[in-house]
Amino acid sequence: MGKILIFGGTFDPPHKGHRHLLRTALQQEQFDRVLIIPSYIPPHKDHKPALSFEVRKEVIRDFFGEIPGMEILDLEQKRGGRSYTIDTVKTLREENPEDTLYLLIGSDMFLSFHQWYCADQLLRQLILVVGSREPGDRTLLEACKKRLEQAYPCKGIILCDMEPVVCASSDLRAVGNGLAERALAHIGQELDLKRARHTMQVADYARELAPKVGVDAEKAYLAGLLHDCTKCYSNDWQIRFAREKGISLTADDLSSPQILHQITAPAFARDALGVEDEEILAAIGCHTTGKPEMAPLDMLIFFADSCEPSRTYPGVEEIRKAGERDLKNGTLMLLDHVMASLINRKQFLHPKTVAARNYLLKELENNG
Ligand SMILES: [Fe+2]
């Protein structure tokens, strides 16, 4: 007889609170299988997820990393319609009649558990594992546990001891008065899976580093979500769009087609997605080449784009560590690396990259 932990949710988008909740549960209990089950259409929410099911599923994998026994199941997508936990539990019960089922939920979900569809049946069939999402809510959770145990026959309720991480997908979607939700929808609809995963990693990494370098975390998150917003379109599209918007492309720009998306991204973000913040527009406008006199947000997005956790090129760990200690030093190392690899591959070196590197080199020399 095995122990199966079920962790469901919309994960729109996944965040460090989800990862922390899962890892805490795994420290407290041993499980034979850990089933991550993204909702297809969440029953308790009145809007459809911003990110597509496929993107959410892949990003969860990136966020949670290697966890023994972890599987990401698409059974709620296969079933279609609204995703009720009781239906998922019935399926898993049929498939695993001998095993004990555990359901991991955050304290916010636990406090409203009595309102869940078929809450009584769920409590009879599985053991709830509850992690705290808000500081100081332990007393409230104890009281809720008692109330549920008095009201229903319960198989078991485990309250995990954990340091709460205050983070919610709804807060992330609300960043920039809902601009993040619009950016996420664009990512889900337009970017291919690989680009979408990379974008989510850049946004999360930039948000995490932001406070260390004096940048507003929400701005960093939004700039990260937007930085590759036009990378999904062809070179012909980039040139046509630039012409339509009256943006002049230099001979150097046209010699580096891989950087054209940084030129079109600010106009697209402003006109198609409604972004007005000039600092964000400036940062996404130099994220591939860099430029002299980069503002902290420019540098952060430039650095995060090449050093987000899923990047694996030789030397990235050293650059990542240097940048996490000191963003300017790390960015200089990165610029050196970018230039060296372009030269090695006999590719065109955009003058903005050279200028960015020389400017930063001088600045760091002058600062001793
Ligand atoms: Fe990127």
Side-chain angles (χ1 to χ4, degrees), residues 328-346:
K328 283 187 180 175
N329 269 319
T331 303
L332 181 60
M333 276 175 76
L334 175 59
L335 284 161
D336 284 348
H337 174 89
V338 168
M339 286 170 59
S341 55
L342 285 169
I343 291 167
N344 281 341
R345 283 182 276 146
K346 302 250 178 295

Side-chain angles (χ1 to χ4, degrees), residues 195 198-199 202 224 227-229 231 261 287-288 301-302 304-306 308 311:
R195 184 66 37 200
H198 158 71
T199 299
V202 172
H227 82 284
D228 272 348
C229 64
K231 186 139 184 178
H261 71 285
H287 79 268
T288 308
I301 299 303
F302 177 79
D305 187 23
S306 291
E308 49 90 350
R311 295 285 198 191

Side-chain angles (χ1 to χ4, degrees), residues 10-30:
T10 315
F11 303 109
D12 183 39
H15 52 71
K16 60 181 180 183
H18 292 129
R19 186 174 48 204
H20 179 62
L21 180 61
L22 179 59
R23 290 190 178 271
T24 305
L26 296 177
Q27 276 162 13
Q28 298 212 341
E29 292 275 333
Q30 299 256 313

Side-chain angles (χ1 to χ4, degrees), residues 58-309:
E58 290 306 316
V59 180
I60 290 168
R61 204 182 300 281
D62 297 333
F63 263 74
F64 288 0
E66 282 298 309
I67 290 176
M70 185 176 95
E71 300 159 52
I72 301 176
L73 301 188
D74 52 10
L75 64 92
E76 296 196 346
Q77 183 201 29
K78 281 188 182 145
R79 196 168 61 234
R82 286 197 178 266
S83 308
Y84 290 103
T85 306
I86 188 67
D87 297 331
T88 302
V89 168
K90 275 181 187 161
T91 306
L92 293 172
R93 173 58 47 242
E94 276 166 26
E95 289 173 0
N96 308 278
E98 301 297 321
D99 298 323
T100 308
L101 300 180
Y102 294 74
L103 179 70
L104 175 61
I105 54 173
S107 51
D108 49 340
M109 290 285 145
F110 182 56
L111 294 173
S112 60
F113 196 82
H114 59 286
Q115 294 169 341
W116 281 35
Y117 180 57
C118 298
D120 55 334
Q121 289 185 46
L122 287 169
L123 287 165
R124 257 201 314 271
Q125 293 196 40
L126 43 74
I127 296 174
L128 284 187
V129 182
V130 184
S132 173
R133 294 278 296 267
E134 299 284 341
D137 63 1
R138 181 79 196 193
T139 319
L140 202 57
L141 298 184
E142 300 273 9
C144 182
K145 178 177 185 239
K146 215 170 180 179
R147 236 186 8 253
L148 284 174
E149 284 169 343
Q150 281 165 357
Y152 307 103
C154 291
K155 198 169 166 72
I157 298 173
I158 301 171
L159 300 182
C160 290
D161 288 319
M162 68 185 273
E163 277 296 310
V165 170
V166 184
C167 192
S169 299
S170 54
D171 293 343
L172 291 177
R173 291 196 304 273
V175 164
N177 283 327
L179 285 175
E181 177 148 22
R182 216 175 291 169
L184 286 164
H186 176 72
I187 291 164
Q189 283 156 21
E190 299 289 320
L191 272 58
D192 65 45
L193 207 50
K194 188 168 164 245
R195 184 66 37 200
R197 290 171 64 185
H198 158 71
T199 299
M200 300 299 298
Q201 293 286 341
V202 172
D204 189 63
Y205 190 48
R207 187 171 70 97
E208 206 173 293
L209 291 185
K212 291 188 199 164
V213 295
V215 168
D216 179 83
E218 294 200 343
K219 271 195 192 205
Y221 183 66
L222 199 47
L225 289 183
L226 292 164
H227 82 284
D228 272 348
C229 64
T230 55
K231 186 139 184 178
C232 45
Y233 305 128
S234 68
N235 287 342
D236 286 348
W237 181 95
Q238 309 284 348
I239 293 167
R240 208 172 48 243
F241 183 78
R243 198 178 300 138
E244 272 170 27
K245 297 290 172 188
I247 303 166
S248 53
L249 297 174
T250 65
D252 293 327
D253 297 336
L254 293 167
S255 297
S256 343
Q258 74 279 11
I259 69 109
L260 290 178
H261 71 285
Q262 84 166 19
I263 299 174
T264 52
F268 185 86
R270 190 179 49 233
D271 298 349
L273 301 172
V275 180
E276 288 173 355
D277 187 308
E278 293 298 334
E279 289 175 10
I280 293 175
L281 296 174
I284 62 177
C286 66
H287 79 268
T288 308
T289 57
K291 66 179 183 188
E293 293 185 78
M294 280 193 270
L297 182 62
D298 301 339
M299 207 175 280
L300 179 62
I301 299 303
F302 177 79
F303 180 80
D305 187 23
S306 291
C307 296
E308 49 90 350

